[in-house]
Each structure stands twice: as structure tokens, then as C-alpha cells.
Amino acid sequence: GMHEREPAKAIERHLSELPRDRTIVTYCITGGRAGKSRDILERNGFKVVNGGGYETVRKIVVNNSSPAA
């Protein structure tokens, strides 16, 4: 599945399964593999946003879902 330790190989095997009409957000624990994954997807014509590491993504989700002060 897509939960492999080598994202390049996994992504390249699953490119045909990914939506080309939507933006894909990549993220991982620290952000390193997310950046590599973003690069692969962009080279293959996908619209991609690198979310970085889990902590960054968590902050974005929490801030976007919190009621306004």
C-alpha cells in the first residue's frame, strides 16, 4: 500500500490511482519524505502542496477548525 518506507517507489506504482483533478497534500513525521513525494508528484503533473511534518499539519488543522476568538 501507500504506507511504505520508500515513498518514491510506492508513489510511482500508484500514480494511476491518484486524482488528477484535486490538490494532493503530502505530509510525514518530519517533512522530509513529504518533500520528496511532492517532487515526484509534481514531475508527473499533479497539483501538490507539501504539508511538511505531522506537527505542522496538526497546527494547521487545529487553527482552521477552532472557532474565531
Side-chain angles (χ1 to χ4, degrees):
M2 291 293 283
H3 299 109
E4 298 182 30
R5 294 184 187 258
E6 295 184 53
K9 291 178 183 178
I11 289 171
E12 289 171 357
R13 278 198 304 272
H14 295 279
L15 286 173
S16 65
E17 300 170 31
L18 300 173
R20 292 193 174 269
D21 61 337
R22 300 175 70 185
T23 300
I24 297 173
V25 178
T26 60
Y27 62 94
C28 65
I29 292 174
T30 63
R33 288 184 306 272
K36 292 176 185 175
S37 298
R38 179 209 54 221
D39 293 345
I40 293 165
L41 291 166
E42 284 180 341
R43 280 196 306 268
N44 283 278
F46 289 90
K47 184 176 176 184
V48 185
V49 172
N50 181 1
Y54 285 142
E55 188 61 25
T56 301
V57 172
R58 186 191 67 77
K59 286 178 184 177
I60 291 168
V61 170
V62 168
N63 289 338
N64 286 337
S65 63
S66 298

